[in-house]
Amino acid sequence: MVTLWWIYRRKKEEKSTWQGKLIIIILIFLLLWRVVPCVLHEVGNFGREEDAAETLVANLEKAEQIAKEDEEKRKIEEEQRKVEEEKRRIEEEKRRAEEEQKRLEEQRRAEEEQKRLEEQKKREEEQRKLAEQLAKKRAAEAEEKKKAEQAKAQSTPAVNYSVDRDCSDFSRQGEATSFMKASIAAGFGDHRLDRDGDGIACDD
């Protein structure tokens, strides 16, 4: 400002002003020498700030993308875990069903075996009862037969086959034939009652 005022006074007095102009030029150069680096520095800083902002935005976007990927991965792992748990649950239910079926099968076999043993025991008991009844029946028949033989022996008089007999000792032909057969069976011969040898006594 002082230089401009001085130039103005010199020009008004019609004096030479080249010294003032030179001073102004020097001052302009000095100003440029001080201002331009600052401007360039600020411009460089502005570019770097823009780069830093872009880098920050890129890093934020990358971090957000990574977070989304981690969230997706976590969800996928959670789904896989649920699937695995469901698979294990189904396998456990299947195993329990197989064990229950096996237990029921063993129980059915045990019941069938018990039923078979009971039926076998029942058949054996029936066979034993039948055998006892048959034995009792046979014993009763043998007892009856023995009693009948005893009764017959008691009712039938004792015959002495050693005494010689002839047809005049019998009232009927049949009685003579029975005596002859009994005598032959006892070993005493036919007492000459069957002279023609036809097995009938006193028929001649």
Side-chain angles (χ1 to χ4, degrees), residues 10-113:
R10 295 283 292 182
K11 190 176 182 179
K12 189 175 181 182
E13 294 175 357
E14 296 181 355
K15 293 180 178 180
S16 177
T17 58
W18 65 271
Q19 294 94 343
K21 293 178 179 179
L22 181 60
I23 293 172
I24 291 174
I25 293 171
I26 291 171
L27 291 174
I28 291 172
F29 275 110
L30 289 174
L31 181 64
L32 291 175
W33 180 71
R34 295 295 297 175
V35 171
V36 169
C38 293
V39 172
L40 293 176
H41 180 72
E42 291 296 328
V43 170
N45 288 337
F46 181 75
R48 285 195 295 270
E49 290 178 357
E50 288 184 352
D51 293 338
E54 291 178 357
T55 303
L56 179 62
V57 172
N59 290 333
L60 291 175
E61 291 178 353
K62 186 176 180 180
E64 185 178 357
Q65 184 67 24
I66 292 172
K68 288 182 179 179
E69 291 177 356
D70 291 339
E71 182 67 20
E72 292 293 329
K73 185 177 180 181
R74 188 186 63 79
K75 289 181 179 180
I76 292 172
E77 290 177 352
E78 183 69 18
E79 291 294 329
Q80 290 179 350
R81 185 182 63 80
K82 289 181 180 180
V83 170
E84 291 294 330
E85 289 179 355
E86 183 68 16
K87 184 177 180 181
R88 286 195 296 270
R89 185 184 64 81
I90 293 173
E91 290 178 353
E92 182 68 18
E93 290 180 354
K94 184 178 180 181
R95 184 184 64 79
R96 289 180 180 177
E98 290 177 353
E99 289 179 354
E100 182 67 18
Q101 185 177 0
K102 184 178 180 181
R103 185 186 65 80
L104 292 175
E105 184 67 19
E106 291 178 353
Q107 183 178 359
R108 183 183 64 81
R109 290 179 181 176
E111 291 176 354
E112 290 179 353
E113 182 67 17

Side-chain angles (χ1 to χ4, degrees), residues 4 7 20-21 62 64 76 125 132-133 152 176 196 202:
L4 291 174
I7 291 172
K21 293 178 179 179
K62 186 176 180 180
E64 185 178 357
I76 292 172
E125 184 69 20
E132 289 179 354
Q133 291 177 0
K152 183 178 180 180
D196 56 2
C202 304

